[in-house]
Amino acid sequence: MRSSGREQKELTSKKRDEFEDILEERRLSSDLRYAMKCYTPVIYKGLSPCKPNAIKSAVLQSEQVQYVIKQLAKEMGESPDIIQEEAMEILDEMGHSMQLGAVRFFAFTLSKIFKQLFQRVCVNEEGMQRLQHAIQEHPVVLLPSHRSYVDFLMLSYLLYTYDLALPVIAAGIDFLGMKIVGELLRRAGAFFMRRSFGGNRLYWAVFAEYVKTMLRSGYAPIEFFLEGTRSRTAKTLTPKFGLLSIVMEPFLKREVFDTYLVPISISYERILEESLYAYELLGVPKPKESTSGLLKARRILSDNFGTIHIYVGQPVSLRTLASGRINRCPYNLVPRHLPQKPSEDIQEFVSDVAYKMELLQIENMVLSPWVLVAAVLLQNLPAMDFELLIEKTLWLKGLTQTFGGFIEWPDNLCARKAVLSGLTLHANIARLVDGHVVLNDKGVEDGAVGEIVFKRALAILMCATYRNQLLNVFVRPSLVAVALQMTRSFRKEEVYSCFSFLRDVFSDEFIFFPGISLKDFEEGCFLLTKCDAIQTSQQEIYPTDKGSIIVSFLSAMFRPFVEGYQLIFRYLSKETKEAFTEKQLIPGVRNFVFQLLEKGNTQCYEALSSDMQKNALAALVQLGAVKKKKMSNGFTYNVNQEAVNKILDMFDARIPVQKPVAARL
């Protein structure tokens, strides 16, 4: 039955799996029958079945948790029973209580909701088969990308559909504030973690042991988001390492033979929270998670959010990654229950694994035609001729495929229909008026100047969310293109110095594998050569006649980041004399950029985004131009004016970029 829902993917340079639409069957048969089906999931071969409460007891009695309880009792002069009580409360707050009844309730309800919201939910069938095999062999950790609250509901729904063991999911404690819904999520496999543990050793010990107990027993696949939170910009966020280091520990301590890490890419043709995110980036506070908020959101059920693509990647063996690189012997020299700070080697290994997983997620993200339209449109504001937009979108489609992008062109539609279909789906962002496509910043003509700027910024940030999905495919060749324009030189080592500088500055903005700047540069040059944009010799790089169009387009695509960072750095070099916090910086920068936009002194609306402002600050800390100091209530920052000015001068190409150059390019 299901195979009829297959659609052949347009192949790029490497063969991709085929997708099938899992909603097709749901539209043809009873949702109640689906929810009440005989569910006998494929499980781990070494599983010792146990109830959720048995896991809590095992955690509480574990040597690790008992050791920390005794240590804390000694230090605080408390009775161990009181601290044990506290540990029990932490477990009750945190633990899941998965029940098949709740799972069936979600299966029924989500079927109804997903059929209303989405045209199709497409999954790579081969990926599901690989996952089925992996779940039986070793403990499995699912690592999905995170763009929407739909992500974790969708994965559980998917595994239920394919009769696979449902995952236990690390969720933010905020969900517990949602009466009824929080409890339902707990019964569907969610376990809850606080946003920060601070120096709470008991909480850390209980949480880590809870996760490791489930992993060691093969109780269920463990699911969490490497990015830590939803990306508001549709760019992959830099990974968080805490949970990853916890799930890697049983393997490093030889408590399990292997662990499979499964990168999963979830791509939305239209993101449910798109306008919420744009408001949030412009400083409008995020609404608190609440059941009443969820009920108010029902009106979106009458909207159309297009297609979701879920690509389940190849399971990656932790044993294979560690082979020949990690020496696990030091773990054998210390009793397993003693807390041990990971060595530098292990920390570096965890970081490399995290970046590798995120790069695999990025590689398998599916790009819709609208992503291409958004990228072209943002370079041609305020209005673009419709015929030219179609022509440019087709041109960009070819370039994206040359660069290895994973494009899904619906049902082989002609370009005109594909662009029109994108405009229909995203009518809240752009519209066709008298043969021209314009941003849908309604009401911009009337109202105060500030209101006009805000509305335009909203439309631009929403459109940028879709263009951003292209950026990780384009970032390496584009930074070579920007470097060529900034250095105004054809000497390879000067271009590489500039590329390397830009890569460092944007290391929080885009995902780069640590320490391989030269390899990234070579990949960028290779892709530009592949599309005949540049020619290279031993010492030189120069654009071809045809290449100047490509180099200009790529530079323009990344211009908002270059200009945005320049504005933020300029603010920091002029306006900040005292120590400040991130919370103080963001409204300051926003007002500074807002005034420039009102006066027409810049067109860089994206510099209003709090995401860009935080990333620019993090870049300056990494480059040593801003000092970050830990205080009791967070961090404060101090600007080194001279260092920031020097970076600004490099950006403005007033001074050559000072960068150690690899001995042999």
Side-chain angles (χ1 to χ4, degrees):
M1 158 87 238
R2 277 212 204 111
S3 56
S4 64
R6 292 205 170 170
E7 35 155 343
Q8 180 61 46
K9 177 141 254 338
E10 204 174 287
L11 296 181
T12 56
S13 51
K14 79 175 193 189
K15 183 178 182 326
R16 307 279 191 178
D17 292 356
E18 283 181 354
F19 282 102
E20 72 153 321
D21 174 14
I22 60 168
L23 288 189
E24 185 180 43
E25 194 170 317
R26 295 278 42 75
R27 295 188 199 282
L28 299 173
S29 60
S30 153
D31 290 330
L32 189 60
R33 195 173 305 140
Y34 162 75
M36 301 310 293
K37 70 178 181 168
C38 173
Y39 173 64
T40 47
V42 167
I43 51 175
Y44 172 48
K45 62 182 179 191
L47 175 66
S48 32
C50 59
K51 297 263 186 297
N53 278 337
I55 293 171
K56 288 185 190 173
S57 303
V59 171
L60 213 52
Q61 276 137 41
S62 68
E63 287 181 310
Q64 283 85 339
V65 171
Q66 285 301 318
Y67 175 81
V68 173
I69 287 173
K70 283 175 190 144
Q71 286 290 100
L72 288 170
K74 208 154 126 191
E75 286 169 28
M76 295 156 68
E78 292 268 16
S79 149
D81 293 349
I82 291 175
I83 293 168
Q84 174 110 350
E85 195 67 36
E86 206 183 313
M88 193 65 227
E89 282 168 16
I90 290 171
L91 272 168
D92 285 341
E93 172 192 85
M94 173 194 301
H96 76 81
S97 55
M98 197 188 285
Q99 294 171 9
L100 191 55
V103 169
R104 293 193 188 283
F105 169 78
F106 270 114
F108 178 76
T109 314
L110 291 177
S111 285
K112 299 282 181 215
I113 292 171
F114 290 159
K115 283 188 291 186
Q116 279 289 110
L117 288 175
F118 304 109
Q119 288 167 345
R120 296 179 307 163
V121 172
C122 297
V123 182
N124 63 326
E125 182 112 278
E126 287 170 49
M128 293 308 293
Q129 286 163 5
R130 292 190 294 257
L131 181 59
Q132 180 179 9
H133 180 72
I135 284 173
Q136 295 170 76
E137 289 302 305
H138 297 292
V140 163
V141 178
L142 304 175
L143 299 170
S145 57
H146 202 14
R147 301 288 174 272
S148 168
Y149 276 147
V150 175
D151 294 331
F152 64 82
L153 297 169
M154 185 55 85
L155 268 191
S156 296
Y157 182 79
L158 183 61
L159 294 181
Y160 180 78
T161 302
Y162 279 89
D163 278 327
L164 298 183
L166 290 184
V168 286
I169 310 150
I173 201 93
D174 334 22
F175 284 106
L176 281 184
M178 299 173 75
K179 293 188 186 78
I180 307 167
V181 175
E183 215 35 60
L184 269 172
L185 289 171
R186 194 193 288 279
R187 290 178 187 193
F191 63 97
F192 300 94
M193 58 190 284
R194 294 176 190 170
R195 286 293 174 194
S196 66
F197 302 172
N200 190 332
R201 275 155 56 203
L202 182 64
Y203 190 89
W204 176 257
V206 170
F207 180 78
E209 192 53 33
Y210 183 70
V211 173
K212 287 185 286 187
T213 301
M214 291 191 290
L215 187 111
R216 282 191 297 256
S217 66
Y219 174 79
I222 289 173
E223 178 190 329
F224 64 91
F225 301 105
L226 270 174
E227 296 166 89
T229 184
R230 292 169 299 161
S231 167
R232 269 68 174 164
T233 58
K235 285 190 289 90
T236 300
L237 306 175
T238 48
K240 305 281 183 287
F241 306 129
L243 252 168
L244 186 63
S245 63
I246 290 173
V247 297
M248 285 166 73
E249 201 178 289
F251 166 74
L252 295 169
K253 287 187 171 177
R254 300 174 193 268
E255 294 169 334
V256 296
F257 181 77
D258 199 357
T259 301
Y260 280 133
L261 306 174
V262 184
I264 298 173
S265 312
I266 308 177
S267 314
Y268 293 86
E269 192 177 3
R270 186 178 165 206
I271 297 165
L272 251 80
E273 300 97 323
E274 59 183 4
S275 64
L276 259 182
Y277 288 165
Y279 276 105
E280 228 180 289
L281 292 171
L282 291 171
V284 178
K286 165 188 158 188
K288 214 171 170 339
E289 282 80 3
S290 70
T291 307
S292 61
L294 188 67
L295 292 171
K296 280 178 199 157
R298 278 177 312 173
R299 65 174 182 273
I300 67 168
L301 290 175
S302 58
D303 230 334
N304 174 13
F305 289 88
T307 298
I308 297 183
H309 283 90
I310 304 165
Y311 192 100
V312 179
Q314 188 81 39
V316 176
S317 151
L318 190 51
R319 190 176 187 84
T320 305
L321 291 176
S323 170
R325 169 164 179 182
I326 291 299
N327 175 14
R328 293 188 287 167
C329 294
Y331 277 106
N332 299 348
L333 306 175
V334 181
R336 279 178 182 167
H337 66 275
L338 292 181
Q340 228 181 320
K341 192 176 186 322
S343 66
E344 271 184 36
D345 281 359
I346 297 284
Q347 286 179 31
E348 195 181 301
F349 178 55
V350 171
S351 163
D352 285 358
V353 170
Y355 277 97
K356 182 184 174 65
M357 291 298 122
E358 287 203 342
L359 286 163
L360 287 169
Q361 288 173 356
I362 287 165
E363 198 178 296
N364 293 317
M365 284 290 192
V366 173
L367 305 168
S368 68
W370 173 252
V371 166
L372 309 176
V373 172
V376 172
L377 190 56
L378 282 171
Q379 290 192 29
N380 293 276
L381 294 176
M384 186 175 188
D385 177 76
F386 181 56
E387 298 302 328
L388 186 60
L389 177 63
I390 294 168
E391 188 189 312
K392 273 289 202 186
T393 300
L394 261 183
W395 171 83
L396 185 55
K397 178 190 178 194
L399 190 62
T400 305
Q401 287 174 324
T402 304
F403 286 176
F406 194 167
I407 295 180
E408 172 68 18
W409 202 265
D411 306 324
N412 297 318
L413 282 183
C414 71
R416 170 182 291 273
K417 281 188 179 159
V419 173
L420 274 172
S421 146
L423 283 168
T424 307
L425 188 65
H426 299 275
N428 58 325
I429 296 178
R431 63 192 199 277
L432 189 55
V433 180
D434 302 330
H436 285 77
V437 176
V438 294
L439 277 188
N440 205 349
D441 42 12
K442 276 188 187 124
V444 153
E445 294 71 27
D446 19 273
V449 181
E451 202 182 326
I452 292 170
V453 169
F454 187 82
K455 283 180 176 164
R456 182 147 292 157
L458 265 180
I460 286 176
L461 286 182
M462 282 209 286
C463 199
T465 300
Y466 295 95
R467 176 218 52 209
N468 288 346
Q469 296 174 33
L470 263 192
L471 296 183
N472 271 309
V473 176
F474 278 71
V475 66
R476 289 156 192 80
S478 294
L479 290 189
V480 174
V482 174
L484 273 168
Q485 292 201 334
M486 272 172 68
T487 53
R488 303 190 187 98
S489 161
F490 298 139
R491 289 192 56 230
K492 199 183 257 188
E493 72 180 48
E494 281 181 41
V495 177
Y496 171 64
S497 283
C498 187
F499 172 91
S500 194
F501 162 72
L502 291 167
R503 185 185 183 276
D504 287 349
V505 170
F506 293 132
S507 62
D508 280 271
E509 207 68 63
F510 307 104
I511 301 302
F512 298 108
F513 192 83
I516 58 162
S517 187
L518 183 56
K519 194 173 171 211
D520 280 342
F521 177 69
E522 285 167 347
E523 187 192 320
C525 290
F526 167 75
L527 291 172
L528 287 174
T529 310
K530 193 175 165 189
C531 63
D532 296 328
I534 60 167
Q535 288 182 326
T536 59
S537 66
Q538 202 71 42
Q539 267 90 38
E540 293 198 318
I541 298 179
Y542 36 93
T544 58
D545 293 341
K546 170 192 171 185
S548 61
I549 296 169
I550 294 173
V551 168
S552 297
F553 181 86
L554 297 181
S555 300
M557 195 188 228
F558 280 75
R559 189 172 296 132
F561 296 93
V562 175
E563 283 183 14
Y565 274 49
Q566 280 171 319
L567 291 172
I568 296 161
F569 294 169
R570 196 182 308 153
Y571 171 82
L572 283 167
S573 73
K574 298 270 191 300
E575 307 290 326
T576 49
K577 302 287 180 271
E578 308 296 317
F580 59 90
T581 63
E582 195 182 81
K583 269 195 174 136
Q584 291 165 325
L585 170 76
I586 286 169
V589 176
R590 194 175 286 128
N591 291 338
F592 172 72
V593 176
F594 217 93
Q595 284 167 14
L596 291 174
L597 286 162
E598 283 180 332
K599 290 174 191 158
N601 292 346
T602 180
Q603 286 302 306
C604 189
Y605 284 84
E606 291 183 53
L608 290 171
S609 159
S610 55
D611 185 73
M612 185 182 283
Q613 293 154 11
K614 288 173 190 173
N615 290 341
L617 180 62
L620 289 178
V621 170
Q622 251 172 319
L623 295 167
V626 169
K627 251 198 170 51
K628 183 178 181 180
K629 197 172 166 191
K630 190 162 178 46
M631 308 295 273
S632 57
N633 57 348
F635 292 97
T636 62
Y637 299 87
N638 278 87
V639 174
N640 174 339
Q641 235 83 29
E642 197 184 328
V644 172
N645 283 327
K646 192 173 176 188
I647 291 168
L648 251 177
D649 285 344
M650 290 178 188
F651 251 121
D652 295 341
R654 281 199 289 267
I655 59 168
V657 174
Q658 301 299 311
K659 194 80 192 146
V661 172
R664 193 164 51 83
L665 279 167

